[in-house]
Amino acid sequence: MTLNAGKEGGHIGPGLSVADIVATLFFGVMRIDPQNPDWPDRDRLILSKGHAVLGYYPALAQAGYFPEQMLETFEKKGSPLAGHPCTIGTPGVDFSSGSMGHGLSVGLGMALAAKLDARDYSVYVVLGDGEQNEGAVWEAAMAAAQYHVDNLIAVIDRNGLQHDSSCAEVMDTEPLADKWRSFGWETREVDGHDIGQLLEAFQPEYRPKGKPYVIIAHTTKGKGVSFMENGVSWHHAVLTQKQAELALAEISQDKTGGE
Amino acid sequence: MTSQSIKDRSGGSYRSIFMDALIDAAEETPEILLLVADLGRAMGASRFSTLFPDRCFQLGIAEQNLIGVAAGMASCGKIPFAATFAPFATMRCLEQIRDDVAYMSLNVKIVGTDSGVSLGTLGTTHYAIEDIGLLRSIPNMVILSPADGAELYQAVFAAAKHKGPVYIRVGGSQQPAAVYQENCNFTIGRAVTLTQGNDAAIIATGTMVERAVQAAEILLRGNIRVRVVNMHTIKPLDDEAVLKAATETGAVVTIEEHNIVGGLGTAVADVMAQNGVGRLLKLGLPDQFSHKIAPYSDMLARYGLNPEEIVVNVENFVCKRRAQI
Ligand SMILES: Cc1ncc(C[n+]2csc(CCOP(=O)(O)OP(=O)(O)O)c2C)c(N)n1
């Protein structure tokens, strides 16, 4: 998709970082009906780090929200598949995003609405670790604890990088788990590329009662492509044909090698 | 800056020209600081921080804090330039801009790069098509919208010299199309008349100025003489230039890469309506969100902001107006 987007490029590092988390949610955790994307009882997913669409649109297509051919229109003139997801025009996108730090508040709103309507859906919000810089994240964190919501689950894609540099250098949010705990959240840390660990973390028995839950998923930005891994310059990049072939070869090898 | 150095810089993007200017201004003025919000790499902030390590501050993805910190620094005599992408520089922190910067009339310079729809395929969350309208309604704000690289360079110096809050609206990674071949004279609040003519006046700002000049050239071939006015300062608006254009031509067209609600067109309309002169056609981005993205140049084409379509619009407007007389 990045290659296809030509000189428009794509947020490829962030996409590869979050892909396993999103795939686990869609194919192993969430109660959804892609034929019925507005089903009121569906679980909701908000990609609060909205720039990571490359790890999101393919999952939506694979789940059946729209035909896979539509992926070819990514960032093309007239396409709804923009560099950030938009609810209007893209089936399966529960909420538009792109500006960092909005998603958790919106997720909390959805979680509270579920309680009002006595519905039992869950709301999953995927955040970036750089995104933790935004004050609004912590406003939502505080409010979620205040309202004891246990149908709101935040997942932090903890890849240690943000746009300009490493999180430690830009704005250090460590100790991150302690911060969330002190805000009244149940926390759990997992390897965000280990599907088994991710699946386990979402199991009902690990989900706290009467308080919100955050999973800190340790990930690698640019995961699966050696020359992209942990590279700041791959946050958003244009791909050459050669790079695309190398990357695809590495990723498919990874698959057959079996994790 | 000499015209030679403008040429040297002709390969630069809006972002890098801004950084060139800020570095040069910072050499002269030790109070100048640079504050970024995790988009410093995009604009080459490391060039600044290498030269002035103590004068560059990374605030992370936290724009409200960015503006608040800038206000505090300005209250202690510093001249902070808070720079990030335009939507985040103006909207996330609008109340900080109003209460902490403008209300106190503090010497904070807000620089919004990648304004308008220049981030084309990234979609609406990354467009700034409301920024002028929002900031224009805040007292004390000065809003600069330079037309090209040479003018941007001057605007940064002018902003640094001006005492009080300034917003500089800048393009993105594109190389600006040159309006000025030589040095330009930039005075805050004084519009520049680029071409003479009394059949109509095009008042343009920012990226649209060069397109307006192109349109005027085409129109001239059809014997329509258009006065192009570069309104590089949206606030305080050069009312006199607007009134002169309106009375002398009777037909004013505004063009901006901004929502036609609240921007340059609205500002010009206020002046014309209050003085009861001339007719106005506002060109710009329609008052709607776009749910279908496109690369930048296609976005501008979609909304008729190409010279060719500007020509057609101006022609029709002038003909209609002549029929009325
Ligand atoms: C409010 C806001 N400010 C700035 C940006 C620009 N931006 C996009 S992604 C990004 C870095 C994100 O870092 P992180 O949350 O760690 O996600 P990663 O890409 O590293 O997975 C920035 C600053 C934005 N989208 N929204």
Side-chain angles (χ1 to χ4, degrees):
Chain A
M1 284 166 75
T2 307
L3 178 67
N4 201 30
K7 62 175 175 17
E8 295 296 315
H11 285 101
I12 189 156
L16 291 169
S17 173
V18 85
D20 291 330
I21 295 167
V22 171
T24 305
L25 283 167
F26 272 114
F27 305 112
V29 178
M30 281 168 41
R31 183 176 72 201
I32 49 172
D33 177 7
Q35 298 315 310
N36 189 6
D38 296 327
W39 179 33
D41 284 317
R42 73 187 186 283
D43 288 344
R44 270 85 168 159
L45 170 69
I46 301 173
L47 187 70
S48 192
K49 48 168 280 184
H51 60 288
V53 288
L54 290 169
Y56 180 49
Y57 291 152
L60 288 171
Q62 214 164 9
Y65 285 103
F66 53 78
E68 292 204 21
Q69 300 95 279
M70 195 166 131
L71 296 175
E72 287 162 26
T73 70
F74 172 60
E75 294 200 337
K76 293 275 186 254
K77 184 175 165 182
S79 173
L81 297 186
H84 297 86
C86 181
T87 306
I88 299 173
T90 311
V93 172
D94 285 316
F95 215 87
S96 307
S97 55
S99 176
M100 312 222 76
H102 292 228
L104 197 59
S105 303
V106 176
L108 172 58
M110 292 175 172
L112 291 170
K115 301 277 185 204
L116 283 173
D117 293 346
R119 294 185 191 276
D120 66 347
Y121 62 81
S122 296
V123 183
Y124 299 90
V125 182
V126 178
L127 301 130
D129 50 1
E131 188 177 8
Q132 311 293 303
N133 299 170
E134 286 287 1
V137 172
W138 302 98
E139 295 174 21
M142 212 180 310
Q146 174 80 9
Y147 280 97
H148 305 287
V149 291
D150 50 14
N151 54 344
L152 176 67
I153 298 163
V155 186
I156 300 173
D157 179 4
R158 183 79 173 120
N159 56 34
L161 294 180
Q162 47 194 98
H163 180 274
D164 281 357
S165 177
S166 69
C167 298
E169 204 171 280
V170 173
M171 190 56 61
D172 199 353
T173 43
E174 282 296 343
L176 189 59
D178 286 349
K179 285 192 174 70
W180 283 91
R181 269 194 288 275
S182 75
F183 271 72
W185 287 57
E186 180 79 19
T187 64
R188 188 178 172 88
E189 303 203 39
V190 300
D191 175 345
H193 299 301
D194 183 326
I195 308 294
Q197 280 191 34
L198 280 168
L199 279 173
E200 192 183 81
F202 291 112
Q203 288 305 308
E205 61 261 36
Y206 288 115
R207 287 183 46 175
K209 286 266 162 286
K211 66 199 277 211
Y213 180 32
V214 58
I215 298 168
I216 301 177
H218 294 272
T219 53
T220 303
K221 206 159 168 172
K223 173 71 180 177
V225 182
S226 54
F227 58 91
M228 292 182 189
E229 286 192 354
N230 294 314
V232 168
S233 62
W234 288 100
H235 176 80
H236 183 274
V238 171
L239 269 186
T240 65
Q241 180 75 36
K242 185 133 198 262
Q243 286 168 333
E245 282 166 16
L246 280 172
L248 281 174
E250 282 196 29
I251 289 173
S252 44
Q253 202 174 12
D254 214 31
K255 258 195 204 151
T256 49
E259 271 194 59
Chain B
M1 187 177 61
T2 64
S3 47
Q4 183 55 42
S5 58
I6 294 176
K7 288 211 182 73
D8 291 345
R9 222 171 249 134
S10 60
S13 65
Y14 288 100
R15 295 173 184 169
S16 70
I17 294 166
F18 156 62
M19 197 53 66
D20 289 341
L22 190 68
I23 286 170
D24 291 353
E27 298 273 7
E28 287 178 11
T29 311
E31 291 80 15
I32 289 179
L33 309 173
L34 172 61
L35 276 60
V36 296
D38 200 27
L39 284 168
R41 187 164 58 85
M43 59 189 80
S46 60
R47 291 198 283 132
F48 186 98
S49 61
T50 306
L51 291 167
F52 314 106
D54 307 336
R55 291 162 63 185
C56 184
F57 295 85
Q58 169 68 267
L59 278 313
I61 316 171
E63 295 77 10
Q64 301 176 64
N65 194 38
L66 173 82
I67 300 298
V69 169
M73 288 170 156
S75 76
C76 300
K78 304 298 175 199
I79 309 177
F81 277 71
T84 190
F85 287 0
F88 315 131
T90 57
M91 289 185 255
R92 187 52 160 275
C93 44
L94 189 61
E95 199 182 62
Q96 274 80 4
I97 294 175
R98 189 194 65 156
D99 292 6
D100 308 336
V101 176
Y103 184 31
M104 304 287 112
S105 200
L106 285 174
N107 213 4
V108 172
K109 317 301 167 185
I110 299 161
V111 180
T113 70
D114 300 75
S115 60
V117 290
S118 62
L119 289 171
T121 56
L122 293 188
T124 292
T125 57
H126 283 55
Y127 301 160
I129 64 168
E130 310 86 349
D131 51 339
I132 293 176
L134 293 169
L135 298 188
R136 203 169 69 81
S137 60
I138 298 177
N140 288 337
M141 285 304 300
V142 165
I143 303 175
L144 306 181
S145 168
D148 72 355
E151 195 165 79
L152 166 57
Y153 188 91
Q154 301 285 338
V156 170
F157 276 80
K161 285 208 181 71
H162 175 82
K163 276 208 162 39
V166 179
Y167 172 54
I168 313 180
R169 189 178 203 249
V170 184
S173 60
Q174 310 78 22
Q175 188 181 322
V179 171
Y180 297 99
Q181 304 311 322
E182 300 280 317
N183 261 349
C184 52
N185 273 325
F186 186 92
T187 307
I188 291 177
R190 195 171 305 153
V192 182
T193 303
L194 294 170
T195 66
Q196 299 296 337
N198 280 342
D199 292 332
I202 301 181
I203 302 180
T205 195
T207 49
M208 290 300 119
V209 175
E210 191 268 342
R211 287 165 183 245
V213 172
Q214 278 191 53
E217 277 167 17
I218 303 170
L219 286 160
L220 187 60
R221 281 180 234 144
N223 237 348
I224 297 178
R225 285 164 210 284
V226 173
R227 171 185 313 190
V228 175
V229 177
N230 169 14
M231 195 61 79
H232 57 61
T233 306
I234 312 273
K235 191 178 183 178
L237 193 75
D238 188 343
D239 291 10
E240 224 172 277
V242 173
L243 282 178
K244 203 158 174 289
T247 43
E248 290 174 8
T249 72
V252 174
V253 181
T254 55
I255 315 183
E256 59 196 309
E257 191 183 330
H258 184 278
N259 190 337
I260 52 162
V261 175
L264 170 69
T266 303
V268 167
D270 284 354
V271 176
M272 289 173 64
Q274 278 179 327
N275 290 277
V277 284
R279 293 228 152 219
L280 175 66
L281 171 68
K282 298 198 290 181
L283 301 180
L285 302 167
D287 183 30
Q288 64 191 38
F289 289 118
S290 50
H291 295 290
K292 291 196 161 62
I293 46 89
Y296 182 34
S297 56
D298 293 321
M299 283 296 290
L300 294 180
R302 182 191 292 172
Y303 297 120
L305 297 177
N306 277 343
E308 300 71 29
E309 278 194 69
I310 294 171
V311 165
V312 173
N313 275 309
V314 174
E315 260 169 2
N316 288 341
F317 186 56
V318 170
C319 287
K320 234 198 269 166
R321 161 106 198 120
R322 279 178 182 160
Q324 282 165 346
I325 296 171

